[in-house]
Structures are given as C-alpha cells and as structure tokens.
Amino acid sequence: MKKTVLIEAPAKVNLYLKVFRKREDGYHDLVSLMQMVGLYDSLTFRAERSGIRLEQTDPSLPSDRSNLVIRAAEALQKSAFPDGATSPGVAIKLVKQIPIAAGLGGGSSDAAATLVGLNRLWSLGWSRRRLAELGATLGSDVPFFLYGPTAWVSGRGEAVEKSSPVAEGWVVLLNPGIAVSTAAVYQALSRKLGLTKNKPKISINRFLAQRPSATKIFRSPYNDLEKVTLGAHPELIRLKQELQARGGEAVLMSGSGPTLFARFESYAAAKQAAAAFEGRGSLRVWVARILKRSPI
Ligand code: C5P
C-alpha cells in the first residue's frame, strides 16, 4: 500500500451556463461548459491504521462532517469497506488557495481529489465512472472534476461529456471577497425567471444537439446566474467592464459567483491586466493557466 499521495485540486470556470427549469428535487436542470484553471488547493493523503482525520490551513472551513473532504472520505470508506472493522484510515492535509463560496468549485474539486487520492492510497481500483457516481451524491460539480480539464455538463451537473480544451492561454480571476451562497442564487433566479417544475420550453437534448461551438462561446460567453449575483453586487458590473477595457476576452462571472474571469492570450498580457486590479481593498487577483490536462 502506498504511504502518501499528493493531489493538486484545480479551480474551474464556467464559460457557459444556462438554467432550464426547476426540478422536483429542488435542484435546477442546466447546461454548462466547464474548464479547469491553474489555481490549486493541495491535498496530501497519508495512510493510517484507522479513522479519517483532516488538518487544514483555512480556519473558516469546518473540520467536522460538514466539510466536503471528510464527507467524500467517509462515503468512499463506507462504500469500499462495508464491514467497518477492516477499513483502513487516512490523515488528510488540505492547503486552501481557492476562495470559498466563490463560484470556482473549490469544495467540489477537493472532494473529487479526495476520492481519487483515497482510491490510490487504499488501492481500491475503482473506475472513474464509479467514483463519479459516488461524487454526484456529494455535490453537483464533483463529477466534472473527475473528467476535466474541459467538459459539457447537464442535468443537475452530474451528466458529464468530455470536450477538447476550448482555448489556450491564461485567465485573470477577480474575487471581491464576498461569499455567495449557490443555493440562494438558484432560488433567486427561479423566482426572477418564474421557472416552474413544468417541461422547459426548449428541451435540454435539443439544446445540446445545437449547442454553440467553443469559438462562438468565446465571442459571447453566457451565464444565467449573472442576472442574480451582478444585480445584487453592481460593483461586479464595473469590474467586468474594466476587465474588457483592459483587453480581456470572454469576460464572465463563474458559476454562482462572485468571481469574474477574463481570458488573455499570453501570460504577460494577463499579468499586466491583473496588476491594474491589485491593491484595491478586499479585491483578490490571480493569474491562472487554462489547463490542457487534469491534475486530478
Ligand atoms: O450540488 P451542490 O450541493 O453543489 O449544490 C448547492 C446548491 O445549489 C443546491 O443545494 C441547490 O440549491 C443549488 N443547485 C441547484 N441546481 C443545480 C446545482 C445546484 O439548484 N443544478
């Protein structure tokens, strides 16, 4: 058995996100194009005789069962060793860099990395598909992180179709230091659009068959959830305009926000644009590569 496993869990951005309808289970059916970017949390898994222990750098995150890393580890341990007496343990160290409640999928990425890390540490031999099925019970974005770096997702987010990477280059990420609740954003969007549990006007399958090409998406990226989050935080609209004015392409809010991103062709151009936003109070700024290979 391997003694330690290290995984770098990347952030994601949504280049496209369209919400179709509210479902019976309270979730929303959507279609999204997701792309991993090179801003990472780091997870180290060390074999222990028993138990699941988490050490982490971010004091604002819970260290108990409500932490997605612990939930992922427990779910895998329970499934793989239904007879608890024989189950191996792990000590996990999580170093956070991806901001929390930011629309960058950090928690989901950590959960996916935990499933993959423990699959290796405990030599379980589970397939990606099996890990993704378990991952979907932990969070809608978890399966994507098992099939990155680029994929279309649909349904609640759990139906993943790998895509070739959409573009090379770099993104500037801007986070105004506000935490946004994904659940609250979806609820507000439902109210705003009058989404019902009825059949959507356009079916998801028809949409997927006629979905825009990556090139078209880069020309006019789209995110339904901007309607809610930008409405609540108008300073984000000004930041988007400024990103555009500084040469950013595909300027958009990621997921339920509030993080904004913009693509730049070269590292130098991204760095130059990022520098203009640095030192502005609580605004956080990163330059990250658009990943061509998944580190998970
Ligand atoms: O699946 P996850 O726990 O990441 O989702 C967080 C919340 O976002 C859900 O509880 C739900 O309110 C909302 N959501 C949704 N439709 C989705 C994904 C998330 O309504 N497709």
Side-chain angles (χ1 to χ4, degrees):
M1 203 192 273
K2 287 195 186 89
K3 279 269 178 277
T4 56
V5 172
L6 169 73
I7 299 190
E8 301 283 331
K12 59 83 179 163
V13 293
N14 302 78
L15 296 159
Y16 190 89
L17 195 161
K18 187 171 169 60
V19 178
F20 284 80
R21 66 169 195 132
K22 190 170 180 175
R23 309 173 3 159
E24 293 294 338
D25 60 9
Y27 283 89
H28 292 78
D29 274 330
L30 53 82
V31 170
S32 184
L33 178 62
M34 294 168 79
Q35 170 67 52
M36 286 177 171
V37 294
L39 171 66
Y40 305 94
D41 288 345
S42 145
L43 293 101
T44 314
F45 305 90
R46 203 182 66 239
E48 297 263 292
R49 256 171 218 277
S50 63
I52 290 166
R53 214 154 41 81
L54 176 66
E55 180 195 329
Q56 60 189 7
T57 52
D58 192 327
S60 65
L61 268 177
S63 274
D64 61 7
R65 287 220 59 232
S66 58
N67 188 300
L68 213 48
V69 167
I70 302 235
R71 282 188 16 226
E74 279 186 359
L76 187 64
Q77 193 190 46
K78 224 189 227 157
S79 280
F81 304 96
D83 166 21
T86 62
S87 64
V90 64
I92 306 171
K93 186 170 178 204
L94 168 63
V95 179
K96 283 279 320 163
Q97 233 198 307
I98 305 172
I100 296 157
L104 295 172
S108 304
S109 186
D110 294 346
T114 300
L115 295 178
V116 169
L118 294 182
N119 189 35
R120 249 179 250 161
L121 190 78
W122 293 339
S123 306
L124 302 178
W126 279 33
S127 65
R128 287 274 150 160
R129 180 199 283 244
R130 201 166 165 205
L131 293 173
E133 273 167 21
L134 183 60
T137 67
L138 300 163
S140 308
D141 286 346
V142 179
F144 161 74
F145 285 99
L146 294 157
Y147 292 111
T150 315
W152 283 94
V153 306
S154 60
R156 172 162 83 82
E158 83 290 1
V160 185
E161 190 188 320
K162 254 180 104 88
S163 156
S164 45
V166 281
E168 301 203 355
W170 299 81
V171 285
V172 169
L173 300 168
L174 293 186
N175 180 287
I178 317 159
V180 165
S181 152
T182 301
V185 171
Y186 274 100
Q187 268 163 31
L189 185 78
S190 255
R191 278 197 302 273
K192 212 174 176 99
L193 300 185
L195 291 179
T196 63
K197 293 173 186 158
N198 299 329
K199 260 185 97 157
K201 284 200 191 84
I202 325 160
S203 89
I204 286 196
N205 288 340
R206 183 137 47 100
F207 177 86
L208 280 172
Q210 302 167 357
R211 73 189 125 187
S213 68
T215 330
K216 207 163 166 200
I217 285 172
F218 262 99
R219 245 180 277 129
S220 52
Y222 181 78
N223 180 354
D224 258 337
L225 303 178
E226 282 194 336
K227 293 184 179 73
V228 174
T229 312
L230 298 193
H233 304 285
E235 69 273 23
L236 295 173
I237 301 172
R238 288 189 292 276
L239 283 172
K240 273 189 77 175
Q241 286 163 348
E242 194 179 340
L243 272 170
Q244 228 139 21
R246 294 191 181 277
E249 195 191 334
V251 182
L252 195 70
M253 183 183 83
S254 182
S256 48
T259 307
L260 305 174
F261 66 92
R263 177 187 173 261
F264 292 83
E265 194 76 34
S266 71
Y267 179 73
K271 256 321 226 194
Q272 193 183 2
F277 294 96
E278 266 149 21
R280 292 194 200 174
S282 58
L283 190 66
R284 298 173 72 190
V285 189
W286 297 269
V287 172
R289 192 190 277 280
I290 297 175
L291 297 186
K292 284 193 267 185
R293 210 165 351 119
S294 169
I296 293 185

